[in-house]
């Protein structure tokens, strides 16, 4: 009986360790990246809610997000292996109007792209049917 109990305890410890390891690998916020300022990019419409566009949950936290939030995905280069997860960026339109948003996902296979929620598009007074617009973005210091 003692060996069975020990095996269960060891199994539980290993399971907890694996869960913590997965959580740590999903949230690599300690990673290094170069702060960017006024980076030219294309902003596209991205759906972050479950069932939109066939995508899965956000890669930063494994969660779906409401399209009523100020959230974005970044091209892999800017996503920096998850180092920007949870960090803020400022998006500037061609009129230099800025909106702050939180990085929650990676746009794998995208180049120079910021995938923005429809909430961001609406706050810029843009029609999402445009599909993409030119913007600039910058990292927020905190």
């Amino acid at each position: 009986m003692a060996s069975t109990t020990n095996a269960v305890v060891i199994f539980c410890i290993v399971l907890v360790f694996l869960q913590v390891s997965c959580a740590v690998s999903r949230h690599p916020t300690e990673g290094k990246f170069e702060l960017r300022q006024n980076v030219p990019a294309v902003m596209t419409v991205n759906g972050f809610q479950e069932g939109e566009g066939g995508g899965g949950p956000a890669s930063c936290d494994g969660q779906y997000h409401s399209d009523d939030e100020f959230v974005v995905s970044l091209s892999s280069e800017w996503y920096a292996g998850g180092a920007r997860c949870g960090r803020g960026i400022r998006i500037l339109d061609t009129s230099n109007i800025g909106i702050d948003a939180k990085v929650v996902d990676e746009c794998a296979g995208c180049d120079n792209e910021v995938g923005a929620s429809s909430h961001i598009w609406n706050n810029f007074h843009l029609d999402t049917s445009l599909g993409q617009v030119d913007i600039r973005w910058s990292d927020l210091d905190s």
Side-chain angles (χ1 to χ4, degrees):
M1 179 75 170
S3 65
T4 303
T5 303
N6 289 342
V8 170
V9 169
I10 290 171
F11 174 76
C12 289
I13 290 171
V14 169
L15 182 60
V16 169
F17 174 75
L18 289 174
Q19 287 176 337
V20 170
S21 295
C22 290
V24 169
S25 67
R26 187 179 293 174
H27 305 287
T29 56
E30 308 261 339
K32 303 289 183 197
F33 60 90
E34 178 183 332
L35 287 178
R36 306 268 184 142
Q37 297 295 316
N38 293 312
V39 179
V42 172
M43 184 174 76
T44 60
V45 183
N46 194 7
F48 295 91
Q49 297 181 150
E50 188 170 4
E52 289 184 330
S59 57
C60 287
D61 59 10
Q63 303 293 315
Y64 291 97
H65 294 268
S66 168
D67 287 335
D68 292 331
E69 296 177 54
F70 292 101
V71 292
V72 297
S73 63
L74 294 179
S75 297
S76 295
E77 175 189 353
W78 298 331
Y79 181 73
R84 281 195 171 86
C85 281
R87 307 257 329 194
I89 66 168
R90 177 161 294 137
I91 302 167
L92 294 171
D93 69 3
T94 54
S95 302
N96 286 324
I97 295 172
I99 293 177
D100 295 350
K102 182 169 99 173
V103 177
V104 298
D105 204 3
E106 176 181 19
C107 184
C110 301
D111 288 322
N112 302 321
E113 187 173 312
V114 174
S117 65
S118 56
H119 192 58
I120 293 172
W121 280 73
N122 293 337
N123 277 270
F124 275 129
H125 303 289
L126 293 170
D127 184 350
T128 57
S129 68
L130 292 172
Q132 65 180 42
V133 294
D134 291 331
I135 54 119
R136 288 177 292 118
W137 70 271
S138 299
D139 283 304
L140 296 176
D141 291 336
S142 56

